[in-house]
Amino acid sequence: MKAPALTEGLRQLPAGDKRLLKVCFGAALIALTLGVLFGAGTAGTRAGFVDSGPLYGYRMMTAHGVSIFFYWLYFAQAGLLLAFGAVFTVPGGHIAWRPLAWTGLATMIAGFVASGYAVIAGLPLLYDAPPELAGVPSPAVAAFYLGYLLLAAGLFCVAVSGVATVLKPRFDHRIASWPVVSFAAVGWAGLLIVSSIAALNAFLPAARWALGLSPMPSDYSVGWHVLFHNMHYLPLMATVIVWYVLVQAVAGVKSVFGAHLSKIAFAIYLIFVPPTSLYHMFLEPNLAEAVRVIGSLLSLFISVPTVTVFLVIVASLEVHARTHGAKGLFGWIGMLPWRNPAMAAMGMAVVNLAIGGAFSFVLIQEKIAPLLSDTFFVPGYFHFLTVGTVTLTFLAALCYVLPGVTGHALWKPGLLTALPYFITAGLLIFGASGVTAGYLGVPRRVLDVAYDGTAPALWGTLMAGIGIGGVIMAAGLLTYLYGLFRTLWPAPAEDVAGMTLPSVAWGDVTPAATRAWAGPLSVLLLVGAMAFFTALAFEMIQALPLQAAGAMGGH
Amino acid sequence: MKEDIVLLVIVFAVWALLAILYATVPMFAMPGYSVVWGWGSLVFLLLAAVIWIAQRRKPPSAAHPPGHSGPGAEKA
């Protein structure tokens, strides 16, 4: 069986490029391992399985958020950006301005160390680290912000190297037009650069305050919100780019709509970033009512880019499968290579995105956001996106990328194929418990919600669900990580040749003109789910004997 | 390549418009938003400009004839 272009392209990279990518993905896997361990500890503490005390409990919660949301997701993106840019732009490509990429990676690692020191040595500030929570400047607080600033500076350097990687073949007149993945990589790198600027805008004044050089910033939350919005968007944009690449690897399928529409779909991602950002401000008491309404309306467009790319990918797969004899409305899904670990991870990522996406729409409506934002609804739903969608997708990519850069066969592909289902089972327990807990008012960032026995008994049961789901997720992810570490580090070095993962080669035949309904039906189902959960949220909250006063100028 | 430039210029225009809105309309007054979207718009304008420069450069020799596309450039 022929190795996919991704693996083959990575194998042809210069040794220096491979070393860079190995260090980058190694750092990503270490960050994810630490984040998963701290996450399991946090979930166990909330469930009452372990008694870590408030200080260590919040330290674990902080370390969990910082390791995963900032470092795992961005080390992984840095490596994938460079890998895709080098492999897909031109045959025999390589990473341009490699010393700059090394500088960026070293700076990101320094940021990771600084953040780790801050979490261990200082007050646990949680991952958003508001200066008000720190209270007074200190070296540990300064290290927290400096860690984020180093991460941003490193990302800037890596992104510039990524842009140079894609541009250099154009300057060298080796190509006349970019493939879709190269165009998407430029947009992705551009958004990484913008996010570095947003991080500078958010954290530099706070770092200066923490070093005793200036007063406490008064508008930290605005800077945080705009950065946080980018940090929502970037991993999702990366996710759909990875899907686009992996669909070629597992099924040999390219977009049936052509390069032009695919590039427009990725450009829409960038176009929709700023207009959909206002919903993060819904908890700010001074926001004008008209801005809330406009923000609520614009927020409805937030899923348009993801849904557009999803439709392109699903329709392309379905059309090719029907050309190869698929029958029935969903019969084509069964023809996909489900024994491929990347396919299994992508499949579960799509399911989790639908669930997380439906719940996210509940939260971006200005009337309901203030009622749910500080409840466990938030971690309950966003783990479907961070773990179930983005992390599973990045792990799927590593199933191809790591064998490509190391020359090792993937460790136990059969087991890795089963793990996404196991992880999703844990996620469903965690998410169902968390979302229900949120609807019932369980606070988000309170480790012990028993309130000396005065809290409803159901809260304790739901927290046990959080703990059980969290432990299952962690077990699945740690096993996956072990497999990827075994693939990355010197192992029984079997050559990749002959070790290709199960796949189908539908792209060899020109697809016939046929109808593809699965994509549009999926979107219809998603819209229905969004409407249902929104209505449910309003029903349940209106039944509460409480009034929320935060966002309506009530204080 | 032209469509790449056009798409990035559209991104620049939307971001710049939003940055101006956040900077000038009192109801939206959020300097933090304005700074980030404003600088961001310039990033995408710069990217479009660099692609435009690459497109206009003449090939130094016939060693690598223009017209070659990357793997699966039609649709990839």
Side-chain angles (χ1 to χ4, degrees):
Chain A
M1 198 179 287
K2 195 178 146 194
L6 175 59
T7 314
E8 199 54 41
L10 288 166
R11 288 182 70 188
Q12 291 172 10
L13 287 178
D17 287 2
K18 289 182 182 173
R19 264 195 301 279
L20 173 69
L21 292 175
K22 281 184 207 171
V23 173
C24 194
F25 291 122
L29 295 180
I30 289 169
L32 181 58
T33 305
L34 291 173
V36 168
L37 288 170
F38 288 127
T42 308
T45 302
R46 289 206 65 130
F49 298 164
V50 288
D51 181 13
S52 54
L55 181 62
Y56 288 100
Y58 282 110
R59 274 206 174 125
M60 282 195 292
M61 191 190 285
T62 304
H64 169 60
V66 169
S67 290
I68 289 187
F69 200 67
F70 280 86
Y71 290 97
W72 149 243
L73 293 182
Y74 289 87
F75 278 128
Q77 284 184 70
L80 291 172
L81 171 72
L82 293 173
F84 289 176
V87 167
F88 286 101
T89 305
V90 68
H94 61 89
I95 296 169
W97 296 2
R98 197 196 302 146
L100 183 66
W102 270 115
T103 304
L105 180 57
T107 310
M108 290 169 72
I109 292 170
F112 192 26
V113 173
S115 293
Y117 164 76
V119 174
I120 293 166
L123 280 174
L125 297 178
L126 306 179
Y127 73 161
D128 51 343
E132 297 84 2
L133 193 59
V136 291
S138 74
V141 175
F144 210 114
Y145 298 121
L146 287 174
Y148 284 166
L149 288 170
L150 287 168
L151 170 66
L155 274 175
F156 183 92
C157 295
V158 171
V160 170
S161 172
V163 171
T165 299
V166 177
L167 271 171
K168 193 170 182 304
R170 185 65 191 90
F171 272 92
D172 293 344
H173 296 279
R174 295 185 67 193
I175 51 171
S177 78
W178 269 333
V180 174
V181 176
S182 300
F183 175 78
V186 167
W188 184 9
L191 196 51
L192 281 169
I193 292 170
V194 175
S195 300
S196 302
I197 296 168
L200 193 72
N201 177 58
F203 299 129
L204 186 59
R208 286 175 52 80
W209 163 75
L211 290 167
L213 301 174
S214 66
M216 185 185 283
S218 59
D219 58 349
Y220 180 84
S221 67
V222 174
W224 166 259
H225 287 317
V226 69
L227 168 69
F228 197 52
H229 183 66
N230 283 5
M231 294 188 68
H232 276 61
Y233 246 99
L234 268 166
L236 277 176
M237 184 176 185
T239 292
V240 294
I241 294 172
V242 169
W243 288 354
Y244 199 89
V245 167
L246 289 185
V247 161
Q248 289 182 44
V250 303
V253 166
K254 296 168 185 170
S255 168
V256 293
F257 300 102
H260 185 64
L261 186 77
S262 301
K263 285 184 180 179
I264 290 173
F266 284 116
I268 287 174
Y269 250 97
L270 302 170
I271 290 167
F272 276 45
V273 173
T276 55
S277 62
L278 279 171
Y279 70 88
H280 296 283
M281 299 292 291
F282 285 166
L283 297 190
E284 297 299 318
N286 299 324
L287 198 67
E289 180 63 19
V291 179
R292 289 179 195 283
V293 174
I294 293 167
S296 225
L297 290 171
L298 289 173
S299 299
L300 295 174
F301 292 94
I302 195 163
S303 66
V304 169
T306 306
V307 168
T308 306
V309 180
F310 171 79
L311 279 173
V312 168
I313 292 171
V314 170
S316 302
L317 279 172
E318 186 176 352
V319 166
H320 277 93
R322 293 197 183 286
T323 305
H324 284 78
K327 303 288 181 206
L329 190 57
F330 298 113
W332 66 274
I333 296 174
M335 290 174 64
L336 292 167
W338 292 106
R339 289 188 301 113
N340 181 319
M343 185 69 239
M346 270 196 297
M348 285 300 96
V350 169
V351 170
N352 290 321
L353 178 61
I355 298 170
F359 284 120
S360 71
F361 267 73
V362 174
L363 208 63
I364 58 177
Q365 297 177 44
E366 61 108 0
K367 297 293 184 196
I368 212 162
L371 294 166
L372 286 175
S373 283
D374 286 327
T375 72
F376 209 89
F377 182 95
V378 176
Y381 99 87
F382 77 57
H383 278 77
F384 283 108
L385 302 175
T386 50
V387 179
T389 305
V390 178
T391 295
L392 281 184
T393 297
F394 288 178
L395 293 177
L398 294 182
C399 288
Y400 278 96
V401 170
L402 294 187
V405 294
T406 61
H408 302 156
L410 185 65
W411 181 82
K412 293 192 187 303
L415 176 60
L416 296 186
T417 302
L419 286 174
Y421 305 104
F422 184 76
I423 294 165
T424 300
L427 184 54
L428 285 169
I429 297 169
F430 180 96
S433 304
V435 167
T436 308
Y439 277 142
L440 295 177
V442 175
R444 175 183 173 184
R445 285 173 164 173
V446 177
L447 288 172
D448 179 6
V449 296
Y451 291 100
D452 296 326
T454 58
L458 185 57
W459 284 20
T461 309
L462 291 167
M463 289 303 100
I466 298 290
I468 293 166
V471 168
I472 293 172
M473 266 194 288
L477 285 167
L478 290 172
T479 310
Y480 214 120
L481 283 161
Y482 175 77
L484 294 179
F485 276 120
R486 283 289 301 267
T487 310
L488 181 63
W489 256 267
E494 298 162 82
D495 193 69
V496 171
M499 294 286 181
T500 49
L501 299 170
S503 61
V504 291
W506 291 339
D508 296 342
V509 178
T510 306
T514 181
R515 287 189 171 85
W517 286 106
L521 282 174
S522 306
V523 174
L524 202 62
L525 192 68
L526 182 65
V527 172
M530 286 168 185
F532 172 77
F533 287 118
T534 307
L536 180 68
F538 275 105
E539 286 293 324
M540 293 184 76
I541 286 166
Q542 280 170 1
L544 289 175
L546 297 167
Q547 288 281 328
M552 304 308 295
H555 65 259
Chain B
M1 196 58 83
K2 191 181 167 192
E3 73 175 352
D4 301 336
I5 297 171
V6 170
L7 289 170
L8 288 173
V9 168
I10 292 171
V11 175
F12 154 73
V14 172
W15 286 50
L17 190 70
L18 263 291
I20 292 166
L21 187 79
Y22 283 122
T24 57
V25 178
M27 184 173 73
F28 286 98
M30 280 182 271
Y33 273 54
S34 181
V35 166
V36 173
W37 303 140
W39 280 105
S41 70
L42 294 179
V43 168
F44 289 106
L45 183 65
L46 182 67
L47 287 172
V50 174
I51 299 167
W52 182 74
I53 292 166
Q55 187 172 303
R56 287 180 63 87
R57 265 167 54 103
K58 288 183 179 162
S61 72
H64 296 294
H68 172 77
S69 296
E74 288 306 307
K75 294 177 181 175

